[in-house]
Structure formats: structure tokens, C-alpha cells
Amino acid sequence: MAGHSDKPLAGVIGWPVAHSRSPRLHGHWLQRYGIAGYYVPLAVEPAHLPAVLSALPRMGFVGANVTIPHKEMVLSLADRISDRARRIGAANTLTFREGRLEADNTDGLGFIANLRDHRPDFDAGRGPVAVLGAGGAARAIIAALLDEGAMEIRLANRTRARAEALAQALDPKRIRVVDWERASDIFVDVALAVNTTSLGMEGAEPFDLTLPMLGPQVLATDLVYAPLITPFLARARQQAAQIVDGLGMLLHQAAPGFERWFGRRPVVDAALRAAVLAEE
Ligand code: NAP
């Protein structure tokens, strides 16, 4: 395509986007594999999203990640939507191919890969799963857990109707909705405990739920990764659970996009983690 830089370009589209760690993440891989490409933050107001998405491929972009608040809206602008993105109702990974915009969602893959890094024999069907929160991220991880064979998912969300809509859309038989006032109860005798709410995130409201005794057979993970050890994870550890922080999910969800855009399957390891955590 004459006129384009032959260096592939990709980026993350958000509003705001300055906080995103994706440029550092992809930047580390580009440097490590000696790929002459760029990955940049793209601050795009919601009203400008359609114009930006039609302009990016003409500027040499091969793809992009999308983050808050565009993850749902982007589906209405895509030419092709993967089955899992359609089921989740949101996309995080876009590829521009032959004039078409392809939308996919890799959050669920990232979530499961992160758990398997810590427990290679992780089996979603081993016992009940407790999930706090029913937002976009919860949809992605619950769809992945169902695909991995989870038989009983107990779901508590502040806005109960949102949890019920999620259960209805994904699997009303295997997802049981519990009132937020009784959220502590969903953790009794679970194999996996997950916080998908923003409670406990830096700058967000505090996490103040009490957890019952969990035990070392329980795996607890939080999607929030700032701070790395969230109040939910600290409490789960006090109750003897094994904990897995949410940064690994962010690293793993990025890998399929990098491979599609830059042609190399990247690894997720301690060096990547350190690069993403490094101070500016
Ligand atoms: P979202 O769609 O806005 O959902 C937010 C969730 O948090 C909802 O369940 C919401 O409940 C709940 N919540 C917010 N404030 C609350 C409060 N004061 N009390 C009780 N519940 C509250 O956001 P999302 O996209 O699902 O993301 C959720 C979190 O996951 C964010 O912190 C995000 O950074 C993180 N995340 C991490 C990764 C990763 O790779 N590690 C990937 C995606 C997202 P209501 O429905 O009642 O509002």
C-alpha cells in the first residue's frame, strides 16, 4: 500500500487513556523481538470513535486494543465479530484486515491463562465458583469459566438486575444470582473466588466485605491490579486461600493481539511483568 509506513502501527483506544499500561506492555515485546513497529496510546472521545476507526487503517494501523468506554460501542462498528465477543457483548482487540474491522475479546483467555500460570492443573469444574460483580469484565470471565466446564457459578452484584441479565444471557442453569447483602455467603466451600468489581482499586471505593474461612485449596483472584495485592486478595490470604493477582490477566489478554498484528507469538514472563510495573 503505497504511502504507508512499512512499520506496522497499533495502539490502545480509550477515553481517558493516559493510565493504560498497554503501550509499555507491547513496547517491551516490540523491543525484545526487534520488531520495527509502534504501539501508541490513542485518546479518543466516544463521539469520534467511528471516524477514528475508519481513519486508522488508512494511516498504517494493523490493529488496536479498545478499553473503557469503547468496549461495547465498537461492536456496532465492526464488520466481523468473533463468537466470544458477541456472546460477551464487548471487544478488547481489533484487527484491520483487507479493509474490514474484526473485533474479538481476549479477556477470558487472559483470565484462564493467568490462573494456569499459577496452577497448571486448574480445573474450572473442580468446585463452586464465587464471582463478585457483573460488569463487562465479569461477562468475559464467566463465559470463559463456563467454557472451561464450571458447573456452579454464584454471582453477587450490587445491582441485582445486571447479574440476572448476565445469568440469563450466558447460562441461567449454571449461574446462581445472590443478593449483594448476602455476598459473603457465596464464598462458602468454593474452589475459586473472583472479584471483578472495581472495589479496592486505587482511587475507587474501598472493599469492605468479610470473607469466611477459605482454606489452601481455594484459589482467589482479583481483576483489579492497582494495587497488586488488593484488599480482596489480602483478606483471602488471611483466610488461607492461595492468591493470584490481576496483572497476569492483563499480560495474557494482550498476547493474541500482538501475534495477529506483529506476527510473533510473545511470551508472558517475569521480565514483561517487571517492565509493566516499572515506574515511568
Ligand atoms: P464495569 O463494567 O464498569 O463494572 C464495574 C463493576 O463494579 C460492576 O459489577 C459494579 O456494580 C461494581 N461496582 C462499582 N462500584 C461499586 C460499589 N461502590 N459497590 C459495589 N459494586 C460496585 O467495569 P469492568 O469493565 O467490568 O471492570 C471491572 C474491573 O476489572 C475494573 O477495575 C477493571 O480495571 C478491571 N479489569 C481488569 C482486567 C485485567 O486484565 N486484569 C481486564 C478488564 C477489567 P454495578 O453493576 O452495581 O454498578
Side-chain angles (χ1 to χ4, degrees), residues 87-160:
R87 186 157 159 237
I88 295 161
N92 69 343
T93 305
L94 306 180
T95 306
F96 305 118
R97 217 192 303 262
E98 291 157 8
R100 279 196 294 265
L101 170 53
E102 300 177 1
D104 191 12
N105 194 313
T106 64
D107 276 339
L109 286 183
F111 175 77
I112 300 289
N114 186 35
L115 294 181
R116 292 236 157 89
D117 264 357
H118 292 80
R119 202 182 268 182
D121 64 348
F122 169 74
D123 171 9
R126 201 169 59 83
V129 178
V131 179
L132 290 176
R139 263 184 189 245
I141 68 114
I142 289 174
L145 286 166
L146 290 168
D147 289 347
E148 290 280 330
M151 293 309 295
E152 181 190 346
I153 296 178
R154 305 170 186 163
L155 177 62
N157 192 51
R158 175 181 59 178
T159 311
R160 186 181 165 109

Side-chain angles (χ1 to χ4, degrees), residues 68 71-72 92 107 110-111 132-139 156-160 162-163 180 195-199 201 204-206 222-225 245-251 253:
I68 292 168
K71 285 177 135 181
E72 286 89 15
N92 69 343
D107 276 339
F111 175 77
L132 290 176
R139 263 184 189 245
N157 192 51
R158 175 181 59 178
T159 311
R160 186 181 165 109
R162 207 174 177 194
W180 185 247
N195 176 44
T196 78
T197 72
S198 47
L199 293 173
M201 183 167 74
E205 289 179 62
D222 200 323
L223 268 50
V224 171
Y225 52 81
D245 69 54
L247 185 63
M249 171 174 167
L250 178 80
L251 307 182
Q253 63 76 33

Side-chain angles (χ1 to χ4, degrees), residues 229-240:
I229 304 300
T230 61
F232 172 73
L233 291 180
R235 281 179 196 204
R237 188 160 58 187
Q238 273 167 12
Q239 301 303 335

Side-chain angles (χ1 to χ4, degrees), residues 13-17 42-53 66-74 76-77:
I13 304 171
W15 184 259
V17 80
L42 298 160
V44 178
E45 274 183 54
H48 296 160
L49 187 65
V52 167
L53 288 178
V66 269
T67 185
I68 292 168
H70 303 306
K71 285 177 135 181
E72 286 89 15
M73 207 223 283
V74 81
S76 63
L77 302 165

